[in-house]
Amino acid sequence: MSMSIVAAFSLGAKVVLPDFITDNMIMQQNSTLLISGNASPGTTVTVKTDWFENELESKADASGKFAIEVPTPVAGGPFTMILTDSSDGEDTVLFNLLSGEVWLCSGQSNMEYSVGNNNWGSTLMNRDEVVATSQYPDIRLLKVKKTGSFAPKDDVDVDYGGWVEANPSTMGVSAIAYLFAKQMHDELGVPVGVIDASWGGTAAEAWTPYEALKGVEGFEKELGMLESADFDSDRMAASYAEVLDSWQGQIEGMCQNFDKGVMQTGSGWGVMPLPGPWEQSVLPGFDGVVWLQRELELPADAAGKPLRLAVGVVDDRDDTYFNGVRVGGYDDPGAQRVYEVHGNLVKAGKNVVTVRVTDYMGAGGMGENSEMSATVNGSVYSLAGDWNYRADRNIADLPARPVNPYSEDFPSRLYNAMIYPLRNVPVKGVLWYQGCDNVWRAQQYEKLFKTLITNWRSTFNNPDMPFYFVQLAGFLAQRNVQPDSEWALLRNSQAKALELPNTGMAVAIDLGNPVDIHPSDKQEVARRLGLIALNRDYGRNDVVYQAPVVTASKRDGKKMVLKFNGAVKPTSTAVTGFIIGDKSGKFAYANARMEGDDTVVVSSPIIDEPVVVRYDWADYPDGNLYGSTGLPVAPFATDK
């Protein structure tokens, strides 16, 4: 277990505590905190606090491990805790502790999105003001470092040295976490702590326990790798190398076979300018395998000389050939490729450079700032310019790429290192913002997300633990009719988690940005999460945390009539965001009219026999229905 001494009267203190138990810690009020750590083997460890009159003790085992249950006080502080190793009477002292409300905040980039930093080209709305006014000693922050593990760990790595007070110098934490904490502090008048355990670009399976994933279809290969390697890192690396070689062999067998030492022309071949992503030139939207070729004319004195070959920053994998012989290739979308070519391959006159690029997602090709050149016998020859190309296989036609076990997406890896170690820290509940990385797997996500929630509750030994999440915001180009939207399907799968008890969903469909997956208005996201918590957990029955929902849908001739369980109102004369469909699967943008304040009538002259209505069902929809308190109506489909 990774441990560190957090504070002591002397450098010789024997009691060593995990990195999430430090000065400035905030404890969940009226709960039981399990203090675990290391001391001298066989010694008695005592705990004294200034809120609990009894002295508590535990005997360290043969390895020095001990655990003591400490009841926490009502909200207040500051408090002090003293832990003593009886073998020499030395003390470890924790200062400036508070008791109050603690929330665990997790997910991917929109949860990681910090208050004070640049976030992938985006900054928090009104960032400077938020940072400048962030001096709140009663708000405490614990930021977990981004780490992974194949097996569950007992301690986390943390930033800032442990728990810290909120102030301008600690605003590298999650914006949603901090803004939620501020709202709770202002509303409840008690200290509030948030634990930020988030990592951008991560899939839900990475945050889900290994045993739990056995019940979710689609992760059999990865779980099998873990089992066969007995969760050992070195054995996992060897296993992955074998799997990757096998997968690459499959791709090679599916791709076009030709003499890579000869320039190819004819049907299927075109010209591509390099360096530069091919999606910005000749292959917009293409992910998959592309062959690239260029002739290199060399003088007589270059023949037989070793050659340095730079073919650019390749996204994602390259296999590079010189005069038909493979000279290198590997997976790394951010690495400049430079290979040494043996002199026996280099000849005077025309030489042929061939690169097979396998692009899994994103830009594809060679990055704009790539070095593309050949250096031989002291002379440099540019390879920038026009290359012949052929798009061979679309990524959708290829077998799924094995997940790198050392990537942040590998099943259970983040749960083991960033969530499981916190299992003995009482928290009021969880805030979750994730889903972008699971778009295109919406059907799987429905069960996966429910599995994650259920098993986190088991991990924290709290079957009723509140779990509140953010539904994905609008993103990508606006389309009026998009019944096959993968983003809409994922949002629907998120909403299915509301079937579990003590869950809540903050709707963010109206807060998106079509060109930025990281919308900057995290204030409103945090506020909407806070409304759920205030109503559900803190007795604020006056707080409304969701807009009305459809309770009845019926056909009336060529119209569909939708009944809501409360008043809804559009933000303009026109009611927007509805599509209507028939039983054949045909959909059209719908004309929608309000009848009274809780009924919407939907129709289209294109649909004669409607059976289904969907609202805000697109990547970036344009719905404008809100409840009386200004919260948006959540996306829905009467057939889903």
Side-chain angles (χ1 to χ4, degrees), residues 92-407:
T92 295
V93 183
L94 300 179
F95 297 103
N96 194 27
L97 308 182
L98 294 178
S99 188
E101 296 297 292
V102 182
W103 287 80
L104 172 60
C105 306
S106 188
Q108 58 180 116
S109 56
N110 274 299
M111 181 61 81
E112 183 185 349
Y113 191 109
S114 72
V115 177
N117 298 335
N118 183 298
N119 302 281
W120 309 279
S122 173
T123 56
L124 178 69
M125 186 176 69
N126 301 325
R127 175 185 65 175
D128 293 346
E129 178 184 354
V130 175
V131 172
T133 58
S134 63
Q135 192 80 36
Y136 283 92
D138 280 356
I139 295 177
R140 302 294 171 85
L141 316 166
L142 181 68
K143 183 172 173 57
V144 177
K145 284 186 177 179
K146 297 189 286 188
T147 52
S149 175
F150 294 123
K153 296 174 63 178
D154 285 327
D155 197 6
V156 293
D157 298 324
V158 297
D159 290 320
Y160 302 121
W163 285 92
V164 291
E165 296 180 357
N167 61 61
S169 70
T170 59
M171 287 296 102
V173 299
S174 161
I176 288 175
Y178 165 71
L179 293 165
F180 173 87
K182 183 178 181 301
Q183 180 184 5
M184 293 301 100
H185 172 263
D186 293 347
E187 291 282 350
L188 303 175
V190 300
V192 178
V194 282
I195 303 172
D196 174 8
S198 54
W199 192 333
T202 55
E205 59 266 25
W207 298 97
T208 308
Y210 156 79
E211 286 292 342
L213 284 174
K214 290 183 177 180
V216 182
E217 187 176 352
F219 304 109
E220 294 80 9
K221 289 183 180 179
E222 291 84 0
L223 301 184
M225 286 177 64
L226 284 168
E227 293 169 0
S228 62
D230 197 25
F231 305 93
D232 177 78
S233 181
D234 291 338
R235 292 174 63 182
M236 281 294 290
S239 177
Y240 177 63
E242 292 179 6
V243 171
L244 198 61
D245 284 346
S246 174
W247 175 76
Q248 192 61 36
Q250 286 181 276
I251 290 181
E252 290 186 12
M254 298 174 67
C255 289
Q256 183 186 28
N257 186 24
F258 59 89
D259 187 344
K260 300 168 189 64
V262 176
M263 287 293 291
Q264 304 296 308
T265 58
S267 178
W269 287 87
V271 176
M272 174 189 300
L274 292 175
W278 63 51
E279 295 199 18
Q280 295 179 11
S281 57
V282 297
L283 292 172
F286 183 85
D287 298 318
V289 177
V290 175
W291 290 99
L292 302 170
Q293 284 195 313
R294 183 178 170 91
E295 279 188 341
L296 172 63
E297 187 84 23
L298 294 176
D301 62 2
K305 302 293 196 307
L307 180 145
R308 177 185 181 272
L309 180 65
V311 295
V313 178
V314 181
D315 187 358
D316 291 284
R317 177 189 171 92
D318 74 299
D319 288 278
T320 300
Y321 302 80
F322 192 88
N323 287 332
V325 178
R326 188 178 186 276
V327 294
Y330 56 93
D331 254 317
D332 189 341
Q336 169 69 48
R337 308 304 204 270
V338 178
Y339 302 116
E340 296 300 323
V341 179
H342 197 280
N344 64 7
L345 297 177
V346 181
K347 61 185 181 181
K350 295 184 187 300
N351 295 263
V352 177
V353 180
T354 302
V355 183
R356 183 179 67 212
V357 178
T358 307
D359 172 46
Y360 313 120
M361 61 182 297
M366 281 65 170
E368 291 180 353
N369 296 321
S370 293
E371 177 192 358
M372 302 189 72
S373 65
T375 305
V376 58
N377 202 27
S379 297
V380 179
Y381 302 87
S382 175
L383 294 176
D386 288 342
W387 284 59
N388 285 7
Y389 81 93
R390 179 186 177 109
D392 194 328
R393 290 279 180 169
N394 191 291
I395 196 69
D397 300 327
L398 299 174
R401 180 192 181 199
V403 179
N404 186 335
Y406 293 91
S407 79

Side-chain angles (χ1 to χ4, degrees), residues 25 50 56 64 78 106 120 124 152 177 190 218 249 261 320 338 355 406 436 456 479 538 583 592 600 631 639:
M25 176 176 64
D50 52 3
L56 304 169
S106 188
W120 309 279
L124 178 69
V190 300
T320 300
V338 178
V355 183
Y406 293 91
C436 299
W456 278 30
R479 292 170 59 185
Y538 299 113
K583 62 182 179 181
V600 178
L631 293 174
D639 60 331

